[in-house]
Amino acid sequence: MYEPTVARLTYRALLGRRRAAILFILPALLIVIAVAVRLLVGVDDRVAADVLGGFALATMVPLIGVIAGTGAIGPEIDDGSIVYLLSKPVKRPTIISTKLIVAIAVTMAFSAIPTLIAGFILNGNGGQIAIAYTIAALVASVAYSAVFLLLGTVSRHAVVFGLVYALVWEALFGSLVPGARTLSIQQWALSLAEKIGTNGTITSDVGLPTAVILLVVVTGLATWYAGQKLRSLTLAGDE
């Protein structure tokens, strides 16, 4: 389920000069915000939760997921270079799983690590807030990467659809419309953070068992369907 050559090419595509620069912007901004808030407000668990929940988990993680998930395969499909990869004796599900692993690794590195650092800056992990949001970012990275990798496989406008989901559905409807929160990866991840946090500052509208099931199902289905679409893309190219 892992092909080193595919992984190396994917890492190279995701961490190229231009894309890497974009990936660094949001984590750097989070750290700057955390330092500024700590200097201005001091140690405050509620403020720390608001910053990590409102910016790190609600904005930074999904946007980095869009960049990593769609960028893992979308550009290759757009420019036709995917044909070269598909001509190699590598199973199509292996290509998808390898690219997913790379996308997850990149998303985790650029979202969970800065979240942990920002959490310690904000309140020194009081109430386990830094750890809770870091775990949430790790878990959300898996689901976002799978969903956005699927979008990159099925659509040439994957980045646009990904941004709509991340900014409109997750950040807007997921925050304002109660029913939409149940279908929000952010809320599923928050349920884990709520379980880890100890001072009641982290809350989620989705129960933990439901959240775990939905995370597993969505990640599994997105990965499986992406593999199926890649199979059909091969057949179309052969014809």
Side-chain angles (χ1 to χ4, degrees), residues 82-123:
I82 190 69
V83 175
Y84 170 79
L85 184 59
L86 296 178
S87 67
K88 301 301 179 182
V90 181
K91 294 181 179 179
R92 306 306 178 254
T94 299
I95 294 175
I96 289 296
S97 61
T98 300
K99 287 183 173 293
L100 176 61
I101 290 170
V102 173
I104 290 172
V106 171
T107 305
M108 285 182 173
F110 284 90
S111 60
I113 295 175
T115 298
L116 180 64
I117 295 172
F120 274 97
I121 291 172
L122 287 165
N123 76 333

Side-chain angles (χ1 to χ4, degrees), residues 103-184:
I104 290 172
V106 171
T107 305
M108 285 182 173
F110 284 90
S111 60
I113 295 175
T115 298
L116 180 64
I117 295 172
F120 274 97
I121 291 172
L122 287 165
N123 76 333
N125 195 39
Q128 295 294 307
I129 289 176
I131 297 297
Y133 276 104
T134 299
I135 297 299
L138 289 171
V139 171
S141 295
V142 177
Y144 281 130
S145 296
V147 170
F148 296 137
L149 179 67
L150 171 61
L151 285 178
T153 306
V154 302
S155 174
R156 292 182 177 272
H157 306 289
V159 174
V160 175
F161 291 133
L163 290 175
V164 169
Y165 176 82
L167 298 178
V168 178
W169 183 266
E170 291 273 294
L172 183 59
F173 285 99
S175 300
L176 301 178
V177 182
R181 297 172 187 169
T182 306
L183 301 177
S184 167

